[in-house]
Amino acid sequence: ALLASAGPPYGLVAAINSTLAHAAAATLPRLRFHVLAPPSEQPALARKLARIFPAEVRLAITSPPSDKLAKLAPKLGAVGVQTAPFEWPLLWLHLALPADVRRVVLLPTDAVVRTDLQELASAALHGKAGAAFEDCSVTFDALFNYRHPLFRDRHGRPSCSLDSELLLLDVKAWRKEEAPKQLLELVGFQRRNENLFLQPVAALSPHVPAQLLLDKRVLRLPGRWLARGLAREGWSWSEASYWHRLWGLQGVRLPFDVRPV
């Protein structure tokens, strides 16, 4: 499953194409791509993808039920979140998939797949609700107040953060554990329990509260499995700052609006 972003679908096409390019012959017939897009964008996106990929590539462009999204909006608003519910796929992904989908790999559209996805999709989860990739460049103590009782008794201070946009989910287990409901509760913690998040605004993003949700519910996988960021049109501020410092020491001037190569 891929969450389509606004604008030209360069990243989306790269993610689909790299998945196909690295799939084994036995995997290709089993691949189904669920492209999640707002209804207003679906016709144009369908035309673009149909011109790029042959008919034998199974592509379905869909969205979560509009009534479910409508119910999520006031719930998010009640905990201070102003972004659209569509930007929170962990709250509704299980509702947007066909009933026969047991496992789903959620891919961000700035990911480039470098191996057969079957390796991930068939991972032994050992009773977990899914699997996620570690990002050890950011640890939990950089996101949360590790002295807070809600953190101290349940999570490890030096734990690597998890990529909440790149997941394998067992759809049935995700529903059974009521993970979407618990994610909403975690977002609301900042209002009821001060100082859990080091930066209060982080509680309102889809990614930081998800760290606490995923920590004990998913199997941790090494982050080297996939490359991220290869289909983006811009660097993050931290990436741009890194290259400015590095090249600046070498006397190279670099404008901040340069795009990744």
Side-chain angles (χ1 to χ4, degrees):
L2 302 104
L3 190 68
S5 55
Y10 302 135
L12 177 65
V13 170
I16 295 173
N17 189 63
S18 61
T19 300
L20 293 168
H22 291 89
T27 302
L28 282 171
R30 304 174 62 186
L31 277 175
R32 285 194 291 173
F33 295 94
H34 304 277
V35 179
L36 307 163
S40 60
E41 299 177 14
Q42 290 182 16
L45 186 59
R47 289 193 297 271
K48 291 175 182 177
L49 295 180
R51 289 198 295 265
I52 296 170
F53 296 105
E56 56 265 27
V57 176
R58 296 194 293 173
L59 279 166
I61 301 177
T62 185
S63 61
S66 56
D67 59 325
K68 299 295 184 181
L69 284 186
K71 291 178 181 178
L72 278 177
K75 292 179 180 179
L76 288 169
V79 293
V81 176
Q82 302 302 317
T83 52
F86 189 80
E87 302 299 322
W88 293 71
L90 293 184
L91 293 177
W92 51 258
L93 178 61
H94 60 293
L95 301 173
L97 298 171
D100 63 338
V101 174
R102 297 181 178 180
R103 286 189 174 192
V104 61
V105 177
L106 178 63
L107 281 177
T109 53
D110 67 346
V112 174
V113 177
R114 301 188 298 178
T115 189
D116 188 351
L117 267 185
Q118 181 63 25
E119 179 184 343
L120 172 59
S122 60
L125 296 178
H126 305 291
K128 300 285 189 179
F133 294 93
E134 292 184 319
D135 177 6
C136 293
S137 67
V138 180
T139 54
F140 274 10
D141 57 1
L143 301 173
F144 306 103
N145 173 12
Y146 60 85
R147 295 186 178 89
H148 197 287
L150 288 175
F151 183 90
R152 184 182 63 233
D153 300 334
R154 304 180 187 181
H155 307 280
R157 174 183 174 183
S159 297
C160 297
S161 63
L162 295 164
D163 190 337
S164 63
E165 295 181 289
L166 175 55
L167 298 168
L168 166 67
L169 293 180
D170 181 312
V171 179
K172 183 178 179 180
W174 192 252
R175 287 195 184 103
K176 184 178 180 180
E177 294 195 10
E178 297 186 318
K181 178 182 177 181
Q182 294 182 41
L183 179 57
L184 274 174
E185 292 176 355
L186 286 168
V187 176
F189 273 174
Q190 183 57 29
R191 288 194 169 185
R192 301 193 305 273
N193 301 280
E194 294 297 327
N195 302 321
L196 174 60
F197 298 86
L198 288 184
Q199 297 182 352
V201 69
L204 306 180
S205 77
H207 310 302
V208 179
Q211 302 295 318
L212 300 179
L213 175 73
L214 298 171
D215 185 28
K216 303 301 181 183
R217 291 180 175 83
V218 300
L219 180 70
R220 287 176 170 265
L221 299 174
R224 65 179 180 273
W225 193 78
L226 289 182
R228 286 290 308 276
L230 301 185
R232 288 176 300 168
E233 292 196 21
W235 277 324
S236 69
W237 178 261
S238 60
E239 289 170 326
S241 299
Y242 171 83
W243 289 110
H244 269 264
R245 289 194 301 272
L246 179 64
W247 290 340
L249 293 173
Q250 303 174 37
V252 178
R253 298 187 64 183
L254 175 69
F256 261 88
D257 60 351
V258 70
R259 294 183 177 186
V261 176

